[in-house]
Amino acid sequence: MTRTQSFQVNLGGVLDVLSNHLYSSEQVFIRELLQNACDAISARQLKSPQFVGSIHLELLNEGNSLLLVVEDNGIGLHEAEVEQFLSSIGASTKRNHFTTQRDHFIGQFGIGLLSCFMVCDEITLITQSEGHPAVKWVGKVDGTYTITLLEKTLSIGTKVYIAAKKEAQKWFQPAMIRQLAQKYGEMLPFPMNLNVNNQPIGRLNRSQWIWDAHPVNSGSRRLEILEYGRSTFELPFQDFIEFEVENIGAKGIAYLMPHPVSPNSKQTHKVFLKRMLLSDKADNVVPSWCIFVRCIMNVTKLRPTASRESFYEDAALETLREAIGTSIRRYLTDLARHQPEKLQKVLAIHEYSFKMLALEYDDFYELIIPWLQFSSTKGGIRIKDITDKTIYHVPDVDEFRKIAPIAIAKSMTVINSGYMYDASLLRKLNSIPHHRPSEVLDVQNFITIFEDISVAEKAASADFMRVAKQVLSTFKCKPELKYFEPQNLPTLYHMSDTVGRDRHLRNAIDVSDALWSGILGNFSSSYSSSQYSVLCFNMSNTVVQRLVKVKEEGLLASIINILYVNALMLGHHPLDAKEMNLLNNKVLELIDWTLKA
């Protein structure tokens, strides 16, 4: 007996939703067929735990038609179930049978099967359920279907037949079917085989998960996991981190990227849902700071979206992310404790990213900051290797160059934090309880603690200091005369913030038109003139020792001018035209004085 009826839904509207809004590509019809087959086998195993299931795909070239047959030996459907699940869209084969066993199933049979209408005009399903007549169901793209009870008893299970419509034949080529079946079903727990025109191609999926194939600590396991990552992502991974989250049924591998990645990048990951591929481009399953890993994982208790290509944002997904983050932090901590050389290799690749991430995430910062390397007066150095009670740093490269010789002479460790992220990372040390504090150094810090000259030396150098004050006042600078190391450094210059701003404004005024020059001039005049820069003369230096004895004030003024401009140059402060002319003129004055002498 055959009955013809219509679907209890607007099938045309459903197909539009499936093809244009729900699924990313027609190729998911293979995934839906495999999901249905797996669920049918899982349902049968719930009744008979020792049952061994299998899935068989057959591709036939029948004249001008390409026919795909997907067969499983699962639980099958009887007539009432076929009527319910394949005629009322949104019903599920699992709803009545095994509602309490929901975790065993991947998808929802009814709407999943209809995805095949994206590549065919007719679906034929023949199914045999234990103790019931076999049923043949034929659904058509026009919205009608027929149900026929078969007289012959078949093997328990289901066969689905779909013939490619003309515009979908590319999906029914042998290489494509094999590729799609392996893509979606490579980790399915049941054997999946393919025949093409009655010729066996062989098994398409793995017999075991990659992390279950070998003992945990075996070398062959490690090599196989690395090779799987390399073949999956086409990257030469050298290390990985395993993780497991039992309460949401997640297990996976995080591969460390073998090359630096941009801090603004976002990696994609390969995720299986109950061993069926959910997505190979999932981008929300790891913490946002984990840009230096790519993951492969299987989950059983996360809730997929309607398209089953991603997960809903919920507490379970957040639990997964937190657990992966914890596993990665634990891995780095273990390296720090037991394999510091290996940690340094990881940092050498991802240091830039780690620094950016440490600023954003406090827990990651506390983990990684002792191991980050910074440029310093003692070369590259890690925070954990600095023995000083305070971490000193200079957030300006030019300022660091001035300070470095003095710090080296004093055996001080001073970090050059003028590079991206470094100053912020070091300032953040002060927010960590019980950690050594960090402090910004500048030239003024050193000038303050330099050794003063004696009372007698002050009297002997009074004329020198008087002339120096007159010369340097023009530049909003005042002289100091002290002892410091190294001896070969005659002067040390510290530019105040006010003078620095004035210099920038004057340079801008010089290159601006009349209107902007007037506006900028108003800004310049508004700055306070009370803050002076300092040019500290080194009494330990032979040149300065002789200079303080010069009695010819004109000669002395010329040399002080030259030393001032030289200090600007040593501090990498750009000279303006007036300063360049000053240098040239004072050198000429020295030449003239020498010739006269």
Side-chain angles (χ1 to χ4, degrees):
M1 179 183 70
T2 299
R3 293 182 287 106
T4 300
Q5 293 181 244
S6 296
F7 288 102
Q8 297 175 23
V9 72
N10 181 338
L11 185 58
V14 170
L15 294 179
D16 177 68
V17 169
L18 294 180
S19 59
N20 295 322
H21 304 285
L22 186 61
Y23 296 128
S24 58
S25 169
E26 297 99 320
Q27 66 180 251
V28 298
F29 79 94
I30 285 288
R31 182 192 68 190
E32 299 299 326
L33 289 172
L34 294 179
Q35 283 184 177
N36 292 338
C38 283
D39 287 345
I41 294 170
S42 295
R44 188 169 181 181
Q45 286 181 332
L46 286 174
K47 296 180 68 176
S48 305
Q50 303 305 315
F51 172 72
V52 178
S54 64
I55 302 171
H56 184 79
L57 289 80
E58 182 88 26
L59 187 61
L60 302 170
N61 191 336
E62 297 186 345
N64 295 324
S65 177
L66 294 173
L67 180 68
L68 175 66
V69 184
V70 178
E71 178 181 6
D72 67 74
N73 60 352
I75 197 169
L77 299 171
H78 54 70
E79 181 183 10
E81 292 171 333
V82 168
E83 181 74 46
Q84 179 182 357
F85 303 132
L86 302 187
S87 309
S88 300
I89 306 306
S92 167
T93 53
K94 280 71 72 176
R95 184 166 297 158
N96 294 329
H97 284 298
F98 305 106
T99 301
T100 60
Q101 305 282 350
R102 191 67 187 149
D103 286 348
H104 290 267
F105 304 107
I106 304 171
Q108 299 227 347
F109 193 89
I111 198 162
L113 185 65
L114 290 187
S115 68
C116 294
F117 281 129
M118 294 189 294
V119 295
C120 70
D121 292 325
E122 184 175 286
I123 303 170
T124 298
L125 178 142
I126 298 176
T127 183
Q128 175 71 64
S129 178
E130 184 179 8
H132 298 274
V135 181
K136 178 180 180 180
W137 177 92
V138 179
K140 298 183 178 181
V141 76
D142 64 4
T144 63
Y145 68 91
T146 61
I147 295 179
T148 304
L149 296 180
L150 304 180
E151 296 181 0
K152 183 179 179 180
T153 300
L154 308 174
S155 298
I156 295 175
T158 300
K159 283 186 178 182
V160 178
Y161 300 78
I162 55 174
K165 54 186 177 182
K166 185 176 181 180
E167 61 270 26
Q169 291 193 356
K170 66 177 181 178
W171 301 114
F172 285 70
Q173 302 304 313
M176 180 61 72
I177 290 294
R178 181 173 186 172
Q179 176 186 332
L180 293 179
Q182 288 179 321
K183 172 183 176 179
Y184 289 110
E186 64 170 309
M187 291 293 181
L188 291 179
F190 317 116
M192 179 174 61
N193 295 281
L194 172 65
N195 280 13
V196 176
N197 292 321
N198 298 314
Q199 296 296 316
I201 301 300
R203 181 164 178 164
L204 302 181
N205 58 335
R206 304 172 64 95
S207 59
Q208 287 181 298
W209 276 102
I210 50 173
W211 44 73
D212 292 337
H214 302 283
V216 171
N217 296 319
S218 69
S220 54
R221 169 193 175 86
R222 174 177 174 79
L223 290 175
E224 185 172 349
I225 289 177
L226 284 173
E227 181 55 37
Y228 182 69
R230 290 167 187 160
S231 62
T232 299
F233 296 116
E234 297 182 347
L235 288 169
F237 297 115
Q238 300 300 315
D239 205 5
F240 59 87
I241 305 158
E242 295 190 62
F243 58 88
E244 185 169 4
V245 193
E246 293 184 359
N247 60 330
I248 59 170
K251 191 172 186 179
I253 296 168
Y255 293 92
L256 269 71
M257 294 291 287
H259 55 72
V261 295
S262 167
N264 297 319
S265 65
K266 197 170 188 179
Q267 305 300 339
T268 56
H269 310 278
K270 191 170 186 177
V271 182
F272 296 85
L273 175 62
K274 299 166 188 172
R275 297 203 174 196
M276 175 69 70
L277 180 69
L278 182 90
S279 174
D280 54 6
K281 294 181 173 59
D283 62 3
N284 67 336
V285 291
V286 304
S288 56
W289 55 265
C290 294
I291 60 174
F292 48 88
V293 299
R294 297 193 73 176
C295 297
I296 297 171
M297 68 184 80
N298 179 59
V299 299
T300 60
K301 297 180 181 179
L302 292 188
R303 192 161 59 104
T305 60
S307 65
R308 292 196 288 282
E309 295 176 1
S310 61
F311 295 115
Y312 281 106
E313 284 287 343
D314 57 19
L317 181 57
E318 183 58 31
T319 297
L320 173 65
R321 285 195 287 253
E322 290 177 358
I324 292 174
T326 299
S327 296
I328 292 174
R329 288 193 293 268
R330 185 184 303 118
Y331 164 82
L332 294 172
T333 301
D334 288 344
L335 289 187
R337 291 173 179 169
H338 307 298
Q339 301 182 68
E341 292 182 358
K342 186 175 181 180
L343 176 61
Q344 287 305 123
K345 290 180 180 179
V346 174
L347 288 173
I349 297 173
H350 299 295
E351 183 175 31
Y352 185 74
S353 298
F354 280 20
K355 286 184 176 182
M356 185 275 290
L357 297 169
L359 283 176
E360 187 171 355
Y361 301 95
D362 292 345
D363 54 348
F364 187 75
Y365 176 88
E366 293 191 35
L367 166 68
I368 209 68
I369 189 63
W371 298 92
L372 291 177
Q373 184 163 282
F374 298 87
S375 174
S376 79
T377 52
K378 295 182 179 178
I381 195 168
R382 298 174 299 186
I383 294 296
K384 67 183 293 293
D385 296 327
I386 297 176
T387 57
D388 299 340
K389 293 182 179 179
T390 301
I391 308 296
Y392 295 106
H393 67 104
V394 182
D396 181 272
V397 174
D398 292 333
E399 190 81 357
F400 175 81
R401 289 170 180 161
K402 290 189 290 184
I403 286 176
I406 303 165
I408 292 170
K410 288 180 170 291
S411 298
M412 286 181 62
T413 302
V414 179
I415 291 173
N416 180 1
S417 60
Y419 301 106
M420 184 173 289
Y421 302 132
D422 286 5
S424 297
L425 285 166
L426 295 173
R427 290 191 187 100
K428 194 171 181 177
L429 282 172
N430 294 320
S431 66
I432 300 179
H434 313 300
H435 199 285
R436 287 174 295 168
S438 68
E439 182 178 324
V440 174
L441 278 183
D442 61 22
V443 171
Q444 187 62 45
N445 292 110
F446 283 107
I447 292 176
T448 302
I449 63 173
F450 285 158
E451 181 184 349
D452 288 324
I453 59 177
S454 67
V455 174
E457 288 169 330
K458 286 182 180 179
S461 61
D463 290 339
F464 167 80
M465 290 297 287
R466 177 177 52 80
V467 174
K469 287 178 182 178
Q470 291 173 353
V471 170
L472 296 176
S473 63
T474 306
F475 310 110
K476 292 185 178 179
C477 182
K478 61 183 180 181
E480 295 273 3
L481 186 58
K482 295 195 175 188
Y483 285 97
F484 60 89
E485 298 292 335
Q487 292 181 3
N488 62 1
L489 190 65
T491 60
L492 185 62
Y493 177 68
H494 171 63
M495 181 179 287
S496 70
D497 293 338
T498 298
V499 174
R501 286 193 295 265
D502 279 349
R503 285 178 62 83
H504 287 303
L505 280 171
R506 281 191 281 108
N507 290 336
I509 290 170
D510 289 342
V511 298
S512 300
D513 58 27
L515 173 62
W516 282 107
S517 293
I519 295 173
L520 292 173
N522 292 332
F523 276 109
S524 179
S525 62
S526 68
Y527 281 129
S528 170
S529 59
S530 61
Q531 189 180 9
Y532 272 57
S533 296
V534 177
L535 183 62
C536 187
F537 294 89
N538 186 4
M539 197 60 174
S540 301
N541 180 264
T542 304
V543 172
V544 175
Q545 290 171 0
R546 292 188 181 183
L547 192 59
V548 297
K549 297 177 182 180
V550 174
K551 299 303 180 183
E552 173 59 48
E553 291 190 6
L555 174 62
L556 184 58
S558 294
I559 296 174
I560 291 172
N561 273 296
I562 290 172
L563 287 175
Y564 169 75
V565 176
N566 182 63
L568 290 178
M569 296 171 66
L570 289 175
H572 295 271
H573 302 293
L575 302 183
D576 58 27
K578 293 178 182 178
E579 290 161 343
M580 286 298 297
N581 291 334
L582 176 68
L583 177 63
N584 291 329
N585 292 336
K586 296 307 176 182
V587 170
L588 287 174
E589 287 180 10
L590 283 180
I591 294 173
D592 291 340
W593 185 87
T594 304
L595 292 175
K596 289 177 183 178

